[in-house]
Amino acid sequence: MAAMTTVPSYAPSLWVRVCHALPRLDLTMQMRDNVFVPDSWEYQQTLLVLSSLSAIALVVSLLVVLSFLIHYCCCHRGDRSEGSEEEEEDEDGSTGHGYSGKKGRGICCVTWVAVAAVTLCCVAIGIGFYGNSEANDGMYQLTSSLLTANYTLASIDLLISDTISGLQLSVSGPLSSMEELFTGSKPFLVSTRNCRRLSENVINLLSSISLSRSGLDAGLGNDSSVSGAAITPLTPVPPSVAPTMVPSGGLMPNPFSPGWAANTLMVNEDYRWLSYVLLLLLDLIVCLFILLGLAKQARWLLILMTVLAWLALFLSWGSLGLETATVVALSDFCSDPNAFVLNSTQFTTGTSADILDYYLTCSRRMNSPFQQLLTQSQRALSNIHTHLSSLDRNALPQFPKAEKSLREVQQILNSTEGNFHQLVALLNCRGLNKDYIDSLKGLCYDGMEGLLYLSLYSFLSALAFTAILCSLPGAWRSFPRTPNVSSNGNPGYESLPLADRQSPPPSYSPSMLTGYGGSQSHPNPAHSRNLYSR
C-alpha cells in the first residue's frame, strides 16, 4: 500500500507567538487585544505609539551625550584654572603620553571606553549583516512561492481558455457542417445536435470556473484560439483562483494577485536590502576610522568621524522604530494568516469563502468546490466521445463527405480531454496550498528572524554610538599638543622647560681672553699672540 502524502502545514514560530502575546497600548494607554487589521485607524495608532518609543530613546541618548559634553567642557575648564600647578606636576611625572598620574589614568580609562564602544558597534554590525541576509532570504522565498503560484494560476487560465475556445471552434465549424450534411438523416442529425449541446454545456461549466467572464466572453466571440498574450494571470481571488484576464493596456491588476505582489515585493526588497547594506557600511567605516584616529591621534579624523557618528546615531534609532512597528504587525499577521486573508478578500457576486478556505487549508475533510462542475464536464465529454464513435461507425459509410468534419471534431475532443485532465490536477488544492505555506514560512520564519536581528543591531549600534560620542571628548585629551614652529620651519623651544634646554657655547670678550691667556703658560708666545689676535 502506497504511503499517503502529507499536506504541508504552517504553525506560528516561537518568536511570532511571543511578539503577538505582548500587550499593546493604544493612545489612551489602556490594554487592548491586538488584532491584525492594518486598515483600522486604531491599529495604525498603536503602531505609531510603538514607533515613537525609539524617538523617546533618541531624545534620552541626546540628553546623555549633551550632559557629558557639558560636564567635560565646564568641569575641566574649572580644573585648569584652579589646579594648574597640580596638572604641571602630573605632566612632569608622566611618560609623555598623558597616561600617568590621576589625570593620565582618567584619560586612559576614557580612551579604552571609546575602544570598547567601537568594538560593541562592530559586533552590532555583524548581527546586522546576518539579520539583513535572513530577511532577504525570507523575502526571496516569499516572492518565489508567489511566482510559482502565479504560474499555476496562469496555467489554469490558459487551459480553461484553450478548452473553451477549442469547443467553441468545433461548435461553430465542423459540427455545423455535419448538421448540414445530416439534414436528411434524423438519427445522425440528433447525435450531431447532442454533441453540439454537450459542447455548449461544457463551455458554460468551464466558464463558471473562471473569474474574468467578460474576458472569456470576448474570447468566445472569436473563432480563433484565445491568445496567451492578452492574458494577465494576476489574481487568486475565489471562486476559481483563476487569474484575471484583462487587455494588455487595461486596468491595474488586483492587489491580491500573486504576480503583482511578487513584483512589488521584489522591487521594495531590493531597496530595503541596499539601504541596510549602506547603513551597515557607514557604521563600519565610522568605527574603523575612529579606531584609526585614536591610534594615530589625528584630531581632524576624529572630528569628521564624530559628525558621521551623529548621523549614524539618528539612523540607528530611526531604523529601530520602523523595525519595531514591522515586527509587531508581522507577528499579528503570522499568528493567524488564514483569517486575515479570508477577511480581507473582496468577494464578487455569487462567490463563497469556502472556495478560498479550500486552498488555504487544503483539509482532507473538505471536498473540492469544483468537484461537481468537473464531474459534469467529464460526463459531458464522455457522452460527446460516445456520439462521435457512433457517427464514425454508422454515418461515415452513408455520408463520406462528413469524414473530414468528424475527424476535426475528434481531434478537438482529444485535445480538450488532455487539457481537462491537466486542469483537474491543477485545480487540486495541494499545489497552491504548498505555495501558500512556503510563502508564509519565508515571511514568518526567516523574515521575522531577520527583522528581530536587525532590531537588535539597531539597538546595540545606537547604544554604541551614544557611548562613542560621550567618550571621544575625553579621549581627545590624551593627544599630545603640537610644538611651536619658528619662522624658518624649525621647532622652537619657547614651550620647553629650561631644564630640557641645552646651554650654548660660552662667548669670551677680548679682555677675558687676554686675562685668560695671561694666566696660562705657552711654549710658543708667538703662537699665542697669533691665536688671540684672530
Side-chain angles (χ1 to χ4, degrees), residues 168-186:
Q168 180 65 25
L169 180 62
S170 67
V171 170
S172 60
L175 287 178
S176 299
S177 300
M178 290 171 61
E179 288 182 1
E180 295 178 358
L181 293 174
F182 297 151
T183 304
S185 178
K186 185 175 181 180

Side-chain angles (χ1 to χ4, degrees), residues 26 150 392:
D26 57 7
N150 189 67
D392 191 8

Side-chain angles (χ1 to χ4, degrees), residues 178 182 188 389-400 402 406:
M178 290 171 61
F182 297 151
F188 300 153
S389 299
S390 177
L391 291 175
D392 191 8
R393 292 191 307 267
N394 302 323
L396 288 184
Q398 301 180 19
F399 300 93
L406 183 61

Side-chain angles (χ1 to χ4, degrees), residues 308-332:
L308 294 180
W310 279 106
L311 176 61
L313 178 63
F314 280 92
L315 293 178
S316 297
W317 285 120
S319 62
L320 181 61
L322 294 177
E323 290 154 2
T324 302
T326 305
V327 166
V328 170
L330 188 59
S331 65
D332 293 338

Side-chain angles (χ1 to χ4, degrees), residues 271-456:
Y271 285 109
R272 187 208 64 80
W273 179 84
L274 181 60
S275 300
Y276 269 99
V277 168
L278 294 178
L279 178 59
L280 291 168
L281 291 179
L282 173 64
D283 294 349
L284 183 61
I285 291 173
V286 171
C287 292
L288 293 180
F289 277 93
I290 284 177
L291 291 178
L292 182 62
L294 292 176
K296 297 294 185 179
Q297 298 183 350
R299 295 177 180 270
W300 67 270
L301 186 58
L302 282 188
I303 293 175
L304 178 60
M305 292 302 106
T306 301
V307 175
L308 294 180
W310 279 106
L311 176 61
L313 178 63
F314 280 92
L315 293 178
S316 297
W317 285 120
S319 62
L320 181 61
L322 294 177
E323 290 154 2
T324 302
T326 305
V327 166
V328 170
L330 188 59
S331 65
D332 293 338
F333 166 75
C334 294
S335 62
D336 192 4
N338 292 349
F340 169 73
V341 175
L342 288 172
N343 294 331
S344 61
T345 303
Q346 301 295 330
F347 297 106
T348 57
T349 305
T351 60
S352 172
D354 296 337
I355 298 174
L356 186 59
D357 186 56
Y358 169 72
Y359 288 97
L360 295 181
T361 59
C362 195
S363 175
R364 296 178 180 176
R365 295 173 296 180
M366 296 180 61
N367 295 324
S368 173
F370 308 111
Q371 185 64 40
Q372 184 177 1
L373 296 176
L374 295 176
T375 301
Q376 294 176 0
S377 299
Q378 187 175 11
R379 290 176 180 175
L381 292 176
S382 299
N383 292 332
I384 294 175
H385 185 75
T386 302
H387 287 294
L388 292 179
S389 299
S390 177
L391 291 175
D392 191 8
R393 292 191 307 267
N394 302 323
L396 288 184
Q398 301 180 19
F399 300 93
K401 294 182 179 181
E403 181 178 4
K404 181 179 179 181
S405 299
L406 183 61
R407 295 292 181 260
E408 291 180 1
V409 175
Q410 289 177 344
Q411 184 179 1
I412 293 175
L413 181 63
N414 294 333
S415 177
T416 300
E417 289 181 346
N419 292 340
F420 183 80
H421 291 301
Q422 296 181 22
L423 180 62
V424 172
L426 290 177
L427 286 176
N428 190 275
C429 66
R430 292 183 181 275
L432 290 174
N433 181 259
K434 181 181 181 300
D435 297 332
Y436 174 68
I437 296 300
D438 290 341
S439 64
L440 288 181
K441 289 182 178 179
L443 180 63
C444 300
Y445 289 174
D446 293 341
M448 187 70 175
E449 182 181 359
L451 283 177
L452 290 175
Y453 276 107
L454 287 176
S455 301
L456 180 61

